[in-house]
Amino acid sequence: AILLFCNSCGFIGAPVSQSLRNQLNTYYQSPFSVPGATPGQDSKYSNSLAQSFFSSFSELEPDWLPKNVLEVGCQRGFLLNEFQKRGAKRVVGIEPGKVELWVDDSGTALDIRRGLLSRDILKEKDFDLVYSLQVLEHVEDPNEFLQIIFDSLNVEGRLFLAVPNEIFSLKEGNVGMFLFQHLNYFTSDILQSLLNKNGFNVTGLISSRHRELMVMAQKMPAGWKASKEGLDINGLRNLLKGYQRKVTEKLDYIRALSKKTKEKTLGFYGVAGTSNIFSWIPDLKDNPVAVFDSDSNTWGKPFGGVPCLVQPPKDLDSVENIIPAPFRLHDEIAKYIEGRKVKNLRVHPLY
């Protein structure tokens, strides 16, 4: 895995080849594109995500209901429909995936435009709010992305963003931080600096180890300059060096555990976090391993980078040692496994 670091502005990103660009375009425009943070159906899970979103939104912007709303990366339009039910007058979505448009209570399909954000697909300049959840980390040119959004907002318009919060990943050596579709890696300072550069003043921010990084930003007049000092370039550079050292420690820990368990099957819990481990340590595939996940959609199926079919939690009694792999849910998963009280099963924390 390769990360590029800008010594001038402190931005952290991954190199993009034409091959990767083509792969990502195919992935995002397919019906199998992962829904991510934007719910795709009216279910208990979708409603819980919507409730969490509006709770965070209200925390950053209390007692405000925007009238004209745009979501970039909206999937079917579930959250846009929720804004509409709460009183928004006009909602618009942009989505590259082949999705079935959400139909509101009146039987009308929402205004969802298929494609990537561009000036061709977005002509309006009067939105009160633009929001985009878990999208900016996928964007090859984040400056252009933010400039298009800036121009689509009215003079008092606001932008709400949610992205993976990598400050904790970098500090603690998250071995699962790299994903092929993630091109940008944000800390709160990096994101704020990027927004300032593109004419936005950050008015609210939520940063937590266990949640995504969320910001509310105000569109500012032409000529505005942020009062905040520039990024600590040396601090970020040292953070990246420390990350490399921490990841090495985690991988050495896994290697030692694999060697210690020998012929016994070593278990990993959490597909998304595990695939990177096998990329970092390919010789793990020579030993007996098992991968478990709580998501029933993964059970009995192969997963990219994982050398075995994914198993449900009920099969945990087939292993004696297991590592919770996902970073942000690590503690929660460890407690869940221990709570199942599987005989002779030992949980080995990674973080």
Side-chain angles (χ1 to χ4, degrees), residues 81-97:
N81 186 57
E82 289 297 310
F83 264 109
Q84 194 168 254
K85 290 195 294 187
R86 284 166 167 77
K89 300 301 183 184
R90 180 168 61 107
V91 295
V92 177
I94 296 176
E95 170 57 45

Side-chain angles (χ1 to χ4, degrees), residues 328-344:
R328 290 179 178 83
L329 295 175
H330 179 272
D331 296 348
E332 184 178 331
I333 289 172
K335 290 178 181 178
Y336 168 75
I337 297 172
E338 291 170 349
R340 293 185 68 90
K341 301 187 183 301
V342 179
K343 187 177 181 181
N344 298 325

Side-chain angles (χ1 to χ4, degrees), residues 47-178:
N47 288 319
S48 69
L49 286 179
Q51 184 177 2
S52 176
F53 166 79
F54 282 104
S55 174
S56 299
F57 183 85
S58 297
E59 183 178 342
L60 292 172
E61 202 65 65
D63 303 320
W64 180 56
L65 176 67
K67 298 301 182 183
N68 298 302
V69 179
L70 169 69
E71 180 179 6
V72 181
C74 66
Q75 287 288 314
R76 293 186 59 207
F78 181 88
L79 282 180
L80 288 170
N81 186 57
E82 289 297 310
F83 264 109
Q84 194 168 254
K85 290 195 294 187
R86 284 166 167 77
K89 300 301 183 184
R90 180 168 61 107
V91 295
V92 177
I94 296 176
E95 170 57 45
K98 295 179 181 178
V99 296
E100 180 184 352
L101 304 186
W102 195 274
V103 176
D104 64 22
D105 294 340
S106 70
T108 303
L110 298 189
D111 180 4
I112 296 176
R113 303 165 191 181
R114 186 160 179 261
L116 298 171
L117 178 66
S118 69
R119 297 189 185 277
D120 291 332
I121 203 172
L122 184 63
K123 303 292 187 182
E124 293 92 334
K125 299 180 181 296
D126 62 346
F127 288 106
D128 304 308
L129 171 72
V130 177
Y131 69 97
S132 191
L133 312 178
Q134 310 285 13
V135 171
L136 191 60
E137 66 272 19
H138 300 263
V139 175
E140 185 173 353
D141 189 341
N143 289 300
E144 181 186 28
F145 182 89
L146 290 173
Q147 279 302 304
I148 294 173
I149 289 175
F150 182 93
D151 291 341
S152 74
L153 289 164
N154 63 35
V155 292
E156 296 182 346
R158 296 166 219 183
L159 169 63
F160 178 90
L161 291 173
V163 297
N165 192 355
E166 305 300 8
I167 185 65
F168 302 98
S169 292
L170 292 168
K171 285 182 176 180
E172 299 183 41
N174 175 13
V175 298
M177 184 178 78
F178 290 98

Side-chain angles (χ1 to χ4, degrees), residues 11 29 54 84 93 234 268 313:
F11 195 80
Q29 294 174 35
F54 282 104
Q84 194 168 254
N234 287 330
F268 295 87

